[in-house]
Amino acid sequence: MNIRSAPRTLAVAATALLALGGVTACSDDGTTGADPQRVDVVAAFYPLQFLAERIGGDAVKVSNLVKPGAEPHDLELNPGQVGQVAEAELVVLLKGFQPALDEAVEQNAKERAFDVSTVQPLLDAAAGGHDHEGGEHAHPEEPGHEEGGAKDPHLWLDPTRLATVGDKLAERLGRADPDRAADYTTRAKALRVELEKLDAEFTAGLKTCQRREIVVSHTAFGYLTGRYQLEQIGITGLSPDNEPSPQRLAQVAQEAREHKATTIFFETLVSPKVAETIAAEVGAKTAVLDPLEGLSTGGGDYLSVMRTNLATLRTALSCS
Ligand SMILES: [Zn+2]
Ligand SMILES: [Zn+2]
């Protein structure tokens, strides 16, 4: 929001120019312009913004393509944002999560992109699922019914994976800005310490619980449930905008009863209606379990929201 205040037409022109002539510097607009002292980083959504800010420190200027309070799965880019991508010194994205951004990067920023999905192999979409579609009480070894062969993008919900992505991001920033490479490495190490502490808190906090199944609105939690031996029952699939069928709602309600769920979780960026319907039907409460796809107006940061999630899970699952 603070990078480009130029009217759309200008941004479009700038983009066209970039595509034609390979112009790299941003010198067309006297009022704003790139900050020559800092690396201009465009982050695809909140957890990547968090990483870039923590690892880049004051050496980077990070902008997030998703507006606060918006849901990132269905990101569409306006011409100004396409211009932003084209002019960024580094674009941090997760390929496959936001197709519009994948396309903009492919066309305008191929050499200046860091795709966090390449750091470690992604889990299969079904790996964290809990699928009963076949009628049997099939458990997570079974392949999922949704998006066959799809990969689960929500890797940031495993703090140790996020730490590893952070290490690689530090290397990538160091290549873009060699003078400060050592600073990036140092900050990535410090962040790793914090993320490993968070991971240890989750491991300890979820070790002994009366229940291990969580009913969630979309199946964003596969990395978290995989790491801490929980199981997710997703009302919708990998993407929150899929409308669940009446059959699916009935199945989830049945599941919730079967696993004696006391809580149906919903998300801050998605309507709680469906979760409320199921909760009312099975006599459960609802609570927020935040997949951290964006920061809600509640504020905080990745670490504090994850700690709130842990407290919420401990209550819902009766952990000791
Ligand atoms: Zn998601
Ligand atoms: Zn079950």
Side-chain angles (χ1 to χ4, degrees), residues 217-234:
S217 54
H218 86 288
T219 51
F221 296 92
Y223 290 87
L224 189 142
T225 57
R227 177 108 187 128
Y228 306 112
Q229 287 85 50
L230 304 175
E231 280 188 46
Q232 70 178 335
I233 298 159

Side-chain angles (χ1 to χ4, degrees), residues 24-93:
T24 52
C26 164
S27 57
D28 59 316
D29 117 40
T31 52
T32 53
D35 183 341
Q37 306 301 319
R38 298 195 287 170
V39 182
D40 262 303
V41 178
V42 168
F45 56 98
Y46 174 69
L48 305 185
Q49 175 196 353
F50 170 77
L51 268 194
E53 285 176 346
R54 290 296 299 263
I55 292 165
D58 54 13
V60 302
K61 181 167 143 199
V62 182
S63 47
N64 182 347
L65 288 172
V66 181
K67 289 182 198 73
E71 193 280 304
H73 279 268
D74 42 22
L75 175 74
E76 285 172 22
L77 299 175
N78 63 38
Q81 290 172 309
V82 173
Q84 219 178 312
V85 167
E87 290 174 6
E89 286 165 86
L90 186 64
V91 180
V92 186
L93 78 160

Side-chain angles (χ1 to χ4, degrees), residues 130 132 137 139 233 255 258-259:
H130 182 93
H132 295 231
H137 196 106
H139 276 94
I233 298 159
E255 272 298 295
E258 195 176 325
H259 294 289

